[in-house]
Amino acid sequence: MRRLLRPLLSFIVLAALVIALLQGAGRVAFALLSNLEVAANQMLAGRQIRIDGLAGGWRGFNPVVRLERLDLPAGHVDDLYVELDLLRTLLESHPV
C-alpha cells in the first residue's frame, strides 16, 4: 500500500505546486498588462485597430482583460470585458 500511496501523493503535491506557480506567474503578468498598451497598439496599427485603457486582472481563478475603448475600422466598442473560464477551458481543451 505504501508503494502506491507515496508516488500518488508526490504526484498530487507536484501538480498542486505547478498550478500554484502558473497562477502566480499569470497574476503578475496580468497585473503588468497595462504596460503593454503601446506595444499592442503598434502591432495592431496595420489593421487599423486601436485600444485604450488596457488593464488585466483576476476574478477568482479566471484571468480578465478590460479595455476602456476598442476602435475598429467598422466602429468602436466601449467598456469591453473579456473573462476566460480557466477550469472549463482546461477540462474542455478550448477557450471558454
Side-chain angles (χ1 to χ4, degrees), residues 24-41 43-44 51-58 62-68 80-84:
R27 288 179 186 273
V28 169
F30 270 73
L32 299 174
L33 195 59
S34 61
N35 297 338
L36 298 176
E37 184 174 330
V38 173
N41 278 325
M43 287 175 36
L44 297 170
I51 57 175
D52 291 315
L54 176 64
W58 286 79
N62 300 333
V64 174
V65 176
R66 292 182 184 90
L67 298 174
E68 287 180 16
L80 182 65
Y81 177 89
V82 179
E83 179 177 346
L84 179 70

Side-chain angles (χ1 to χ4, degrees), residues 8-18:
L8 179 63
L9 288 176
S10 296
F11 174 76
I12 291 171
V13 168
L14 182 62
L17 180 63
V18 168

Side-chain angles (χ1 to χ4, degrees), residues 63-96:
V64 174
V65 176
R66 292 182 184 90
L67 298 174
E68 287 180 16
R69 183 176 175 103
L70 174 64
D71 289 317
L72 302 166
H76 71 275
V77 178
D78 289 325
D79 296 324
L80 182 65
Y81 177 89
V82 179
E83 179 177 346
L84 179 70
D85 189 338
L86 192 59
L87 295 177
R88 282 191 54 201
T89 295
L90 291 174
L91 291 174
E92 297 181 16
S93 299
H94 62 83
V96 176

